[in-house]
């Protein structure tokens, strides 16, 4: 290791790293602001312009795009012809490249960013050097992030950078270039003729980082892996820390996400139990224990072997009761020490902790995906995520009978749950808990019947209950089924050609009906 070229936009940690290189006798080359920083710190540094014998030009657009730089990076030391070519042209090798790129992503994320601002923050020389060094990884180590400095310096101090580390750095470098180019493509292809940006660019460049390989997918004959967004939002499932238990499976992760997304939508202590991606029990309580007891009562049969999520701390009392049941995954923002001790007896239970973002429950909304993606044959369906939060002021009472304040609370609770139930969804609720859930049926009437059957099986009464339907009732027959089961009030989107008939039926049956104007299909 004789020569390092350092040219960084983000200068975090670079001075300390350069000092470490200098102490090892490494010659330092640099550009612009980085060279100035190193020189002012008293480090001997050679400007790239001096090294190449060619000045920077075009307002700095051209400074490292030169054969002396790329020849020094790309030349293979094991090929005599390459070494001879370097000697013929007076080019010295560059053994270490430290580059991070112009902050394009941060620039376009700023409100009011103009196309001119974006274009000027597209790095050309940096990616070119990174690609050259990464291609020649056996001879050149390339660093593209400050988090790599400490480990690389330690290896150099111990005698040299291993081939394994060099290859890992090369892979990280190509990944960085890929992500950078993807961000540029996303931005530019989203621009409309009038200067506005479309939420759906002309080319979609998904960028995800693998967290782990999974034992198998939905079924044992399917291979699978778990990936996260390049920049995951706080409060999202991929930020979870597993405190104990077996390795998560594909189905565990899918169901855990369904449970977590549902439970974090409540701003008072809540528990959600999910089985096969559907909530089978949801309840509010004064604490985790009370919420769990109520949620479990909805459908104990389905809850067996399910996923349980809380939006509040799990204490010893809740943990002791939960651990008496068979469950796959437990999720919460925190656990008391006594709770973890109680759960430790169930060593196979996967216990996940997902940290609360600063500010409590409301900021959890930022942990939701901005878009939903569904794979179809050789293509993708991309849509805005269903993040609509219904406000009480948006409700429209359309019947002669007005809902009481308590009924409104139950209707809003039922509506929130129905949003996370597979369509067609019918949810009976009362007293801040689900009483019966009908999910995923081809007929809304069948969903209603299943919900009432489940309630009967659990020994729960539907008399005076509130019912939510994720879409409108196309005919009065579905309404009659829920009223016959005991419902006293109903909430649904409305919008059917026969709304007047359904509303008239509600008046005839003497119940209150509330319309939301928003549908929540979930497929």
């Amino acid at each position: 290791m004789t020569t390092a070229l350092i040219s960084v936009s983000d200068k975090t940690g670079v001075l300390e790293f350069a000092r470490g290189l200098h102490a090892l006798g490494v010659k330092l080359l640099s550009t612009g602001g980085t060279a100035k920083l190193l020189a002012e710190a008293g480090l001997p540094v050679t400007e790239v312009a001096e090294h190449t014998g060619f000045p920077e030009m075009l307002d700095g657009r051209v400074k490292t795009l030169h054969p002396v730089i790329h020849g020094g990076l790309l030349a293979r030391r094991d090929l005599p012809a390459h070494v001879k070519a370097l000697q013929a042209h007076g080019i010295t090798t560059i053994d270490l490249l430290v580059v991070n790129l112009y902050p394009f992503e941060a620039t376009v994320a700023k409100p009011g960013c103009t196309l001119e601002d974006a274009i000027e923050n597209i790095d050309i020389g940096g990616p070119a050097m990174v690609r050259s060094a990464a291609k020649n990884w056996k001879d050149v180590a390339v660093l593209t992030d400050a988090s790599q400095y400490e480990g690389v310096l330690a290896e150099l101090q111990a005698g040299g950078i291993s081939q394994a580390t060099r290859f890992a750095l090369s892979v990280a470098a190509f990944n960085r270039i890929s992500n950078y180019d993807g961000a540029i493509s996303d931005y530019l292809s989203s621009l409309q003729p009038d200067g506005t940006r479309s939420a759906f660019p002309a080319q979609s460049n998904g960028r995800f980082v693998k967290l782990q390989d999974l034992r198998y997918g939905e079924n044992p004959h399917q291979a699978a892996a778990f990936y996260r967004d390049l920049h995951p939002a706080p409060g999202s499932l991929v930020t979870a820390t597993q405190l104990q238990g077996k390795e998560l499976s594909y189905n565990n992760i899918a169901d855990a996400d369904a449970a977590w997304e549902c439970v974090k939508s409540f701003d008072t202590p809540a528990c959600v139990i999910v089985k096969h991606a559907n909530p089978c029990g949801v309840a509010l309580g004064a604490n985790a224990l009370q919420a769990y007891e109520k949620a479990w009562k909805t459908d104990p049969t389905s809850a067996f072997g399910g996923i349980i999520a809380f939006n509040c701390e799990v204490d010893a009392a809740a943990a002791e009761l939960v651990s008496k049941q068979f469950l796959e995954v437990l999720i919460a923002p925190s656990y008391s020490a006594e709770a973890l001790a109680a759960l430790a007896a169930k060593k196979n239970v996967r216990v996940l902790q997902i940290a609360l973002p600063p500010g409590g429950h409301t900021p959890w909304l930022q942990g939701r995906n901005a878009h939903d993606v569904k794979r179809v044959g050789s293509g993708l369906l991309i849509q805005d995520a269903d993040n609509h939060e219904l406000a009480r002021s948006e409700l429209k009472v359309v019947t002669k009978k007005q809902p009481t304040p308590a009924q409104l609370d139950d209707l809003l609770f039922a509506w929130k749950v129905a949003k996370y139930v597979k369509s067609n969804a019918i949810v009976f609720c009362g007293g801040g808990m689900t009483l019966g859930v009908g999910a995923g049926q081809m007929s809304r009437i069948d969903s209603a019947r299943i919900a009432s059957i489940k309630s009967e099986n659990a020994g729960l009464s539907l008399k005076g209950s509130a019912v939510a339907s994720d879409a409108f009732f196309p005919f009065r027959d579905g309404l009659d089924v829920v009223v016959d089961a005991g419902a006293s009030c109903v909430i649904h989107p409305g919008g059917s050609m026969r709304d007047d008939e359904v509303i008239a039926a509600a008046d005839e049956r003497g119940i209150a009906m509330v319309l939301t104007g928003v549908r929540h299909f979930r497929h």
Side-chain angles (χ1 to χ4, degrees), residues 27-324:
K27 178 183 177 181
L28 303 179
L29 303 177
S30 193
T31 61
T34 307
K36 182 180 179 183
L37 174 69
L38 302 183
E40 288 178 347
L43 291 172
V45 58
T46 301
E47 283 267 10
V48 162
E50 180 183 346
H51 182 70
T52 63
F54 199 92
E56 292 186 12
M57 61 184 297
L58 306 181
D59 298 319
R61 286 191 173 198
V62 177
K63 48 190 172 186
T64 57
L65 296 170
H66 195 283
V68 168
I69 299 299
H70 288 273
L73 292 170
L74 281 166
R76 286 180 54 177
R77 281 55 158 174
D78 62 332
L79 294 181
H82 282 203
V83 174
K84 185 176 180 180
L86 293 184
Q87 293 171 343
H89 296 283
I91 298 175
T92 58
T93 58
I94 298 172
D95 310 298
L96 179 69
L97 178 70
V98 184
V99 168
N100 53 57
L101 311 176
Y102 291 172
F104 179 85
E105 296 100 327
T107 298
V108 299
K110 294 176 182 176
C113 172
T114 65
L115 176 59
E116 183 179 0
D117 290 336
I119 293 297
E120 287 307 312
N121 277 278
I122 295 176
D123 203 330
I124 303 300
M129 287 192 294
V130 168
R131 291 177 69 89
S132 292
K135 178 175 180 175
N136 200 25
W137 62 271
K138 290 185 178 180
D139 294 314
V140 182
V142 54
L143 282 67
T144 51
D145 190 89
S147 63
Q148 299 166 331
Y149 297 166
E150 183 177 355
V152 167
L153 188 59
E155 286 199 31
L156 284 171
Q157 291 167 340
I161 305 173
S162 70
Q163 289 289 287
T165 297
R166 289 172 182 269
F167 183 70
L169 291 171
S170 172
V171 172
F174 279 120
N175 287 343
R176 175 64 187 122
I177 298 303
S178 172
N179 293 332
Y180 193 73
D181 288 343
I184 294 169
S185 171
D186 284 345
Y187 173 79
L188 294 178
S189 62
S190 72
L191 293 179
Q192 303 300 297
D194 62 0
T196 60
R197 292 181 64 184
S198 168
F200 304 101
Q203 177 170 311
S204 177
N205 301 282
R207 296 180 293 284
F208 303 93
V209 178
K210 187 165 77 172
L211 291 178
Q212 66 186 91
D213 289 310
L214 302 174
R215 285 188 300 160
Y216 52 82
E218 218 164 357
N219 299 291
H221 63 275
Q222 295 171 269
F226 184 28
Y227 289 76
R228 66 161 172 80
D229 282 332
L230 187 62
H231 302 292
S236 54
L237 180 69
V238 297
T239 67
T241 300
Q242 185 168 349
L243 304 181
Q244 73 164 55
K246 297 187 297 184
E247 182 180 309
L248 288 163
S249 72
Y250 180 100
N251 293 329
N252 290 156
I253 294 168
D255 286 350
D257 185 61
W260 185 244
E261 288 300 307
C262 184
V263 80
K264 73 180 185 180
S265 67
F266 297 101
D267 56 11
T268 57
C271 175
V272 173
I273 305 174
V274 161
K275 193 69 172 291
H276 295 302
N278 277 301
C280 59
V282 181
L284 306 178
N287 50 46
L289 175 63
Q290 189 181 96
Y292 172 70
E293 288 176 327
K294 293 167 67 178
W296 182 265
K297 288 179 182 178
T298 302
D299 190 352
T301 301
S302 296
F304 181 82
I307 309 293
I308 302 175
F310 294 91
N311 66 352
C312 57
E313 180 168 281
V314 173
D315 58 15
E320 287 171 4
L321 185 58
V322 167
S323 63
K324 291 179 180 178

Side-chain angles (χ1 to χ4, degrees), residues 421-462:
V421 176
K422 297 290 185 179
S423 301
N424 287 312
I426 294 289
V427 180
F428 287 84
C429 294
M433 65 176 284
T434 48
L435 301 172
V437 179
Q441 298 305 304
M442 291 72 78
S443 163
R444 193 162 299 279
I445 295 176
D446 286 344
S447 287
R449 288 171 178 156
I450 289 171
S452 61
I453 290 170
K454 283 185 169 292
S455 175
E456 182 180 352
N457 290 342
L460 299 173
S461 172
L462 295 180

